[in-house]
Amino acid sequence: MATVFKAAEKAVAKSNATSKTKDKRVNKQRVMLLSSRGITFRHRHLLTDLEGFLPHAKKDSKLDTKKNLHALNELADLNNCNNAIFFEVRKRQDLYLWMSKTPNGPSVKFHVQNLHTMDELKMTGNCLKGSRHVLSFDKNFDSAPHWSLLKELLAQVFNVPKGSRKSKPFIDHVLAFSIVDNRIWFRNYQIVEKNAENTPGFTTLDKGDVSLIEIGPRFCLTTIRIFEGSFGGPTVFENPEFVHPNFIRSSIRKDKLKKYQDRQGSMESRKLRLKDAEGQENELSNKRVFE
């Protein structure tokens, strides 16, 4: 009887050991963060801010090429990541953000505008490093199919899995994604519960209320194109309202050139008017009388 009891005790201990070592996580998302050569300090600070509130992200070294982006799928596989965020910088001033589900896609290319990092803003909000966050999406994400696709992609990339590496079991901030003027606006807020210490005139009616304090960073994403594959492939959606920044700078230079041409033309016309106003010379003109 004792031997049977010992055998049963060993079997129970073995089953408990296997249940402890078994990974019960369902969401196993990991994100690879990297940038191209020629990145500026503001873009680098934004990359550091993203790494700060994405504890499941892994930062990689800069990519030397801007043409063969399919190599990012291999890098993500080597880093054991199934998502990728790539900062592509053009002319040291234009920032394009690639977001992809590696290795099969889909992927999207954004143009980043209105960029303000946490060092620039110096907001009063704060959160624990490595803590998890709540994702908040605008109701306009359900208005069109491409917005629904972007909502799912953003949710899988920015959602911190429970029990992931470097994450802490706390939820103390909110990532808000809003659609205004056909663009995605990003904000990061701290969740603060009202109490007598942080709320002047606190009453019992305010107990349990929650307020939001912005932390930063903040930026705006303009969708350029959505691809079926990872970093390429057939085009699923193309934004017809997107205007390339090179065209904008070219139009500004042309406007300045037009102002200069108009000014030169007005000066020439003034000289002609003055010459016509002098009239023809005769015997009583000043030049003839005082010679």
Side-chain angles (χ1 to χ4, degrees), residues 262-276:
D262 293 341
R263 188 167 62 251
Q264 292 295 323
S266 63
M267 292 173 65
E268 291 293 333
S269 62
R270 181 176 180 274
K271 290 179 181 179
L272 292 176
R273 288 197 305 271
L274 291 175
K275 189 174 182 181
D276 294 339

Side-chain angles (χ1 to χ4, degrees), residues 79-98:
N79 290 317
N80 195 20
C81 297
N82 50 7
N83 301 286
I85 296 177
F86 176 61
F87 281 19
E88 182 183 357
V89 183
R90 298 284 183 177
K91 297 185 177 181
R92 292 186 179 270
Q93 53 185 343
D94 299 329
L95 176 61
Y96 299 97
L97 189 146
W98 285 84

